[in-house]
Amino acid sequence: MSLNLTIDQGNTVAKMALWDGIELIDIVNEAHLCAQTVEQFTHGRGAIDAAIYCSVSDDGSAVLGSIRHIAKRVCRLSSRCRLPIKIDYGTPGTLGADRIAAAVGAVSLHPGQNLLVVDAGTAVTYDFVTADGTFRGGNITPGLKMRLDALHRYTARLPQLEVPASIEHRRVLGKDTADAMILGAVYGIVGAVSFYMSKLRDTKVVMTGGNAPLLSPLLDFEVDVDEHLVSKGLNSILLYNENKK
């Protein structure tokens, strides 16, 4: 069995996954990604045919060096890679690899549809992919924790709060200061998704990221939540390039 390895290095956690074709064999979250954790994850798994590394930072030489000892083919994802979607973006060199991978993942799950891809993590990205598989652009805003942290940091008396595990559905107005901060942050994102959907016709929402389970039930339309969307997109890119050989 020849496997693919995908690594998604986010702002707060990394995801390593092994794939046999389109089948997910194993996936783990790693708070401290390094060459050793990659080697431990892949040890005894058999041959790794191809690997792809996606990072929101520029640092990754040690991890890439480790991957090159493990896999026959290695790719660091960027807009310059051969992709199964088209990129219509003014500065493709600045387009985050995680945004590309999430868009590819969404298209692989819902081909031939207009898609609003929402990644609700440290930051929240809202990206639009048309039914012909073209990335048309998107927006970036602070994530929930960043919003709450900023309210505390840049005011005199607002408290430091953590992101809650859930929100009571339809409770939209805070009855105390903590509630007002949390609901303001939450519905700022929910409202943005609803706004984009009011402007984009015949579009499906695909959501991922750590806060997707908290946010998606608060929307008034169907949302496809996939916690492994970026990893699926990375694997789709590897499979696309394998088929193009």
Side-chain angles (χ1 to χ4, degrees):
M1 179 172 62
S2 186
L3 302 175
N4 285 343
L5 169 67
T6 63
I7 300 179
D8 166 28
Q9 174 64 74
N11 286 297
T12 55
V13 70
K15 282 188 176 182
M16 296 186 289
L18 284 170
W19 305 81
D20 181 10
I22 62 172
E23 181 184 357
L24 178 61
I25 302 300
D26 193 14
I27 189 165
V28 297
N29 291 336
E30 180 58 57
H32 303 289
L33 183 69
C34 62
Q36 183 179 6
T37 56
V38 174
E39 291 166 3
Q40 289 173 344
F41 179 64
T42 57
H43 180 71
R45 303 282 194 160
I48 307 294
D49 181 60
I52 187 168
Y53 176 66
C54 166
S55 176
V56 297
S57 70
D58 291 331
D59 186 28
S61 56
V63 172
L64 283 167
S66 174
I67 296 171
R68 291 190 176 100
H69 288 295
I70 296 168
K72 299 175 185 176
R73 296 181 292 115
V74 177
C75 168
R76 177 163 187 168
L77 179 60
S78 74
S79 62
R80 296 185 297 274
C81 297
R82 187 162 54 183
L83 301 170
I85 63 172
K86 298 180 284 292
I87 303 294
D88 178 17
Y89 200 68
T91 56
T94 69
L95 180 58
D98 55 334
R99 295 172 68 188
I100 296 172
V104 172
V107 170
S108 72
L109 296 172
H110 306 283
Q113 296 187 54
N114 294 328
L115 302 170
L116 178 64
V117 185
V118 181
D119 191 342
T122 304
V124 183
T125 56
Y126 314 85
D127 293 317
F128 184 53
V129 184
T130 46
D132 64 350
T134 301
F135 182 100
R136 298 294 182 182
N139 294 331
I140 306 171
T141 65
L144 280 179
K145 186 178 188 307
M146 196 182 300
R147 291 171 189 235
L148 293 174
D149 287 350
L151 286 171
H152 170 66
R153 180 176 179 181
Y154 294 109
T155 63
R157 299 183 64 184
L158 291 179
Q160 180 73 63
L161 299 175
E162 296 300 321
V163 176
S166 63
I167 296 290
E168 182 184 341
H169 194 41
R170 301 303 179 193
R171 186 165 65 92
V172 298
L173 297 176
K175 293 297 187 180
D176 56 46
T177 299
D179 254 9
M181 292 169 64
I182 290 170
L183 293 176
V186 165
Y187 282 106
I189 297 172
V190 169
V193 177
S194 298
F195 170 78
Y196 294 129
M197 286 296 285
S198 74
K199 301 296 183 182
L200 303 171
R201 293 182 178 274
D202 301 319
T203 297
K204 182 176 186 62
V205 176
V206 184
M207 185 176 283
T208 191
N211 293 135
L214 170 67
L215 297 167
S216 58
L218 303 174
L219 290 161
D220 292 327
F221 38 79
E222 181 182 354
V223 179
D224 180 13
V225 177
D226 193 318
E227 63 177 322
H228 302 319
L229 187 68
V230 172
S231 297
K232 289 178 179 178
L234 293 173
N235 188 53
S236 293
I237 293 168
L238 287 179
L239 294 175
Y240 175 78
N241 280 277
E242 175 64 24
N243 292 334
K244 288 292 184 180
K245 287 174 62 178

